[in-house]
Structure formats: C-alpha cells, structure tokens
Amino acid sequence: MRRHVSSGRMLWALLGLGLLLPMAASAQDAKVQVQVEVVLASKKGAEVDPPELEKMKEQFQKQNFSFTSFKRLSNEVLTVSAKSASEVKLPNGANATLQLQGIKDGTATVRVAIPRQPTLDVELGRQGAVYQKAGKYVGGELILVLSPPAR
C-alpha cells in the first residue's frame, strides 16, 4: 500500500473496500465521491455504535490503539474536486477540508487538512478506508474515516 506521508505525521490506512471511481475524466474538472464519517474513539466504556464500527475497533486493537468505545457522530458523501476544497464540520468546532490532487489507475489522491493536525495527501481507492486523527473531543479522539461510498 502506497501513501504520501512525511515523517512524523500520523495516518491510519486500514480495511479493504471497493474502488474509488472518478465522476469526471478531465484532470482540471476531476471529481470523486468520498464517504466521510466522523467517529469518536475513546477509552470510556465499551459502546460501539453503530455495530458496523466493530471492524474499526478490531483493526485499532490489532494496531495496539487502546480505544474501547467507538461512536459515529456523522456520515456523509462528499463530492471532492480539484478546483475547490470541500469542508466537513467537526463537532470540536474545527473544519476539515478535502481537495482532490489527482486520479491515477482508479486511485484518487486527496489532500486532507485539519486544524492543529498535519496536512496529508492520502490515496483512496483499492486499499479501502483511511483513518485520520481529527483532534480531541469530550475525552476522546475524533477520527475522520474516508472511503469510497457504499454501493
């Protein structure tokens, strides 16, 4: 799995999902749809809501992240383009922005910018979901989950 991450930057790329398909072919007009979930992971309790987040919990445990509770706070499908950034409002008051950097062989490179977190270029496509720290919130960690939309 390839990813573009400078040293010292945290990125969790896990799971195996479908292919990310471009909505437009022209490089400058290129657009992709990205499913964006905001999940609160914490060490308080053992709630996993909805149950589909059980896979995320298992992956985090395999990676030795000690979160015990996972709760989806939002879930939306965004159209991400090269022309302008798309915003995701986070419950901690910050906004995450996503902007398409390019598409090659069914894989989209998306720049993810979150205040007080490193800006990352992540590859979305064949490898599935990408988990990105999005800041602290009510005693836990916000995790941005980026993936191809569910079919």
Side-chain angles (χ1 to χ4, degrees):
M1 174 176 55
R2 295 182 354 221
R3 60 182 182 232
H4 303 288
V5 182
S6 298
S7 63
R9 295 181 177 184
M10 184 176 292
L11 169 77
W12 301 309
L14 308 164
L15 299 179
L17 299 176
L19 193 43
L20 192 68
L21 299 174
M23 292 176 57
S26 166
Q28 290 189 341
D29 294 335
K31 297 178 184 177
V32 294
Q33 291 208 322
V34 179
Q35 184 164 343
V36 182
E37 296 177 78
V38 178
V39 174
L40 176 62
S42 75
K43 297 175 185 177
K44 295 179 182 176
E47 177 183 24
V48 178
D49 181 34
E52 296 88 50
L53 293 179
E54 192 65 44
K55 288 181 184 178
M56 183 178 178
K57 180 179 179 179
E58 290 169 9
Q59 284 297 132
F60 275 51
Q61 287 174 340
K62 287 179 187 174
Q63 302 272 328
N64 292 321
F65 294 114
S66 59
F67 299 118
T68 57
S69 174
F70 293 80
K71 182 174 174 125
R72 180 185 297 149
L73 303 179
S74 68
N75 185 13
E76 63 184 302
V77 175
L78 290 180
T79 299
V80 178
S81 74
K83 284 187 175 181
S84 62
S86 298
E87 282 195 351
V88 177
K89 293 191 182 299
L90 301 173
N92 62 2
N95 288 332
T97 59
L98 286 73
Q99 187 164 13
L100 182 64
Q101 300 299 299
I103 302 170
K104 183 176 180 184
D105 299 327
T107 299
T109 301
V110 175
R111 179 158 291 153
V112 181
I114 302 168
R116 295 175 297 287
Q117 301 293 326
T119 297
L120 302 173
D121 286 347
V122 299
E123 290 183 351
L124 299 173
R126 291 181 182 92
Q127 88 280 359
V130 175
Y131 300 148
Q132 172 60 46
K133 275 180 69 169
K136 302 242 183 255
Y137 184 65
V138 294
E141 242 354 286
L142 291 174
I143 309 293
L144 207 59
V145 182
L146 309 173
S147 63
R151 296 180 190 203

